[in-house]
Amino acid sequence: AVVVLEILGDVYAKRNYVEKSEFFSTWVKTMRSHLNTENSNDIEGGSGKKKMRRTIRKIVCLGIGSFQSHSPNHINSRFQLAALLAMQSFIGTMNQREDNNRESLSCLVEVFDPLLELTDRHVISSLTGFSVGSDNNEGKTCLAYRENPYGKSDHIVMTMFFMPHCSLRLYSNVLWSNWGKESLSR
């Protein structure tokens, strides 16, 4: 329990650093423009295009590594978890601004890495909205998409992948599992 608290303290300190970084500022601007602009998914209406509202409901994180000090990349892994926390917070805030139903539009995070040890799993499970994936599907994660999940015709729900330490094969598996006009646009 002491190790988990030490790791979490370090991750939260790194989160503050990440949120003040130029990288995160640029990422936020990019996400705002992507979530708030028209694209090819817009619906043609009587008076032109109808703007589709986009919501990222879930982040799938693969390949984050171990956060424990005996791991050679633990500092990178902790920074990446800090970035993931900052991203989840930003996306959750964007989702809440779009709808008054705050709970239904929070952003959940599922993390999987075969390197995760028990302590790493406890760290992840202690974070609000985070869960540890149970199966190593080698990136063959097919996105579950529900059309009009909130009964609204102008709403697209998307999943974001965060894959900081991954091989080319893992990226390939994710893309091939979701290849198609409908799924890639989500």
Side-chain angles (χ1 to χ4, degrees):
V2 173
V3 175
V4 170
L5 292 176
E6 179 265 318
I7 292 170
L8 286 171
D10 189 37
V11 167
Y12 280 111
K14 286 175 177 17
R15 176 185 171 180
N16 290 333
Y17 178 82
V18 167
E19 289 177 329
K20 294 174 185 172
S21 71
E22 185 176 332
F23 158 78
F24 191 71
S25 176
T26 301
W27 182 85
V28 164
K29 288 176 190 172
T30 302
M31 292 304 291
R32 274 197 180 117
S33 89
H34 178 72
L35 295 173
N36 293 325
T37 59
E38 295 181 4
N39 73 1
S40 60
N41 292 329
D42 294 337
I43 299 171
E44 292 291 334
S47 61
K49 287 188 173 186
K50 181 178 180 182
K51 188 174 181 179
M52 297 295 288
R53 193 169 86 207
R54 298 181 201 110
T55 302
I56 296 174
R57 179 72 173 92
K58 183 177 183 180
I59 300 172
V60 175
C61 174
L62 303 174
I64 198 163
S66 176
F67 318 117
Q68 296 182 72
S69 58
H70 65 78
S71 171
N73 291 316
H74 78 279
I75 293 172
N76 289 339
S77 296
R78 290 182 187 190
F79 263 112
Q80 289 158 353
L81 182 59
L84 188 56
L85 273 168
M87 291 172 183
Q88 179 208 32
S89 177
F90 169 77
I91 291 168
T93 300
M94 288 287 291
N95 292 349
Q96 290 171 2
R97 287 183 185 157
E98 292 293 324
D99 199 307
N100 291 331
N101 190 353
R102 295 179 186 272
E103 280 192 34
S104 70
L105 291 178
S106 63
C107 182
L108 303 176
V109 179
E110 182 178 330
V111 179
F112 183 80
D113 189 315
L115 297 177
L116 295 177
E117 298 177 26
L118 185 60
T119 299
D120 300 313
R121 292 173 181 275
H122 285 305
V123 168
I124 293 165
S125 298
S126 69
L127 299 170
T128 303
F130 279 63
S131 64
V132 179
S134 57
D135 295 326
N136 184 0
N137 62 12
E138 298 176 352
K140 296 173 185 162
T141 303
C142 188
L143 302 179
Y145 172 75
R146 294 183 314 186
E147 195 74 40
N148 305 321
Y150 305 108
K152 300 172 184 177
S153 63
D154 63 344
H155 199 101
I156 296 173
V157 175
M158 300 180 296
T159 299
M160 182 177 99
F161 281 86
F162 182 67
M163 302 170 59
H165 284 246
C166 296
S167 67
L168 181 60
R169 181 179 182 128
L170 197 57
Y171 289 106
S172 179
N173 287 350
V174 168
L175 287 171
W176 278 109
S177 296
N178 295 285
W179 202 261
K181 185 177 179 181
E182 281 298 308
S183 58
L184 287 178
S185 66
R186 307 292 187 235

